[in-house]
Every structure is written in C-alpha cells, then in structure tokens.
C-alpha cells in the first residue's frame, strides 16, 4: 500500500466509499463523478501505478470481478450496454496513479461518447507495427 495514494486508502477502507463489492484483493466502488448511473471503479488493494506495474496474478483476477459487477449492473439497472475502460498514463487519461478499471453502464441516449476516431493503415504499416511489437 502507498500511504500517499487516495485509491489505496479507499481500497483498504481508510476512506469511506459506496462499496458494491469487496474481496481480499479488490474493492469496487461507485465513482463520485459518474459518467452514467452506476459508474463504478475496480480498485486493487495492492498499489500498482498502472497496468505495466500490476502483478500478473492481480491482473488475472480483474476481469472476473468486472464480469461479476457488469452482470449485477445489467440485472439491477437494466443498462443497454457497458464499457470497461482502463487508462495508463496521463496522455491516456489516467488521473489517479493507482491501477483501476472503470465499469460504465451505458443507456440509450445517455449522451456519453467513449471512443476514438478510427484511423487508416496500409497492410504494410500493420505488418511493420506488428513486427516491432512481437520482436
């Protein structure tokens, strides 16, 4: 735990939150600045700044927690869809430097735009990028 990290304090119960789920590794809370009704954050109790620093065993447990919360949201809130969002670094939109995953229920006409403008790449460009990544 990082004593200066607000998400460590929330995840470990030092700061009160609207907790939806808790186990020995995670606390899931409602976001105080929700994008939509039910927007939640999955917070590991162990500090890791981002995905690059997240222990592999913790990473393997995140998606099952997200699935559990998403299923509960669909049943309880009747959402029409759902976004899982996980940002790494300020450039990507990370504002708290503690790994967390957003679980954002989506509703028809909710006004949110979570996405990107698709670019274009030639087959040669894709081959070159793939080669850089896998080598």
């Amino acid at each position: 735990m990082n004593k200066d990290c607000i998400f460590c304090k929330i995840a470990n119960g030092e700061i009160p939150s609207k907790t939806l789920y808790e186990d020995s590794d995670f606390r899931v809370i409602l976001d105080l600045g929700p994008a939509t009704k039910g927007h939640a954050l999955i917070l590991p109790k162990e500090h890791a700044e981002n995905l690059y620093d997240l222990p592999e065993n913790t990473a393997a447990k995140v998606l099952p927690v997200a699935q559990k919360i998403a299923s509960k949201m669909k049943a309880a809130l009747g959402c029409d869809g759902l976004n899982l969002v996980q940002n790494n670094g300020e450039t990507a939109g990370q504002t708290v430097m503690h790994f967390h995953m957003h679980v954002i229920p989506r509703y028809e006409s909710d006004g949110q735009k979570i996405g990107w403008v698709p670019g274009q790449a030639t087959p040669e460009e894709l081959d070159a990028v793939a080669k850089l990544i896998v080598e």
Side-chain angles (χ1 to χ4, degrees), residues 6 13-14 17 21 27 35 47 59 74 97 107 110 129 132:
I6 191 163
E14 292 180 29
S17 63
Y21 172 83
R27 182 181 298 259
H47 184 79
K74 181 135 180 80
M97 299 305 150
Y107 307 92
D110 64 20
V129 170
L132 285 171

Side-chain angles (χ1 to χ4, degrees), residues 11-24:
N12 288 284
E14 292 180 29
I15 295 176
S17 63
K18 296 294 181 194
T19 299
L20 302 177
Y21 172 83
E22 182 177 12
D23 63 23
S24 60

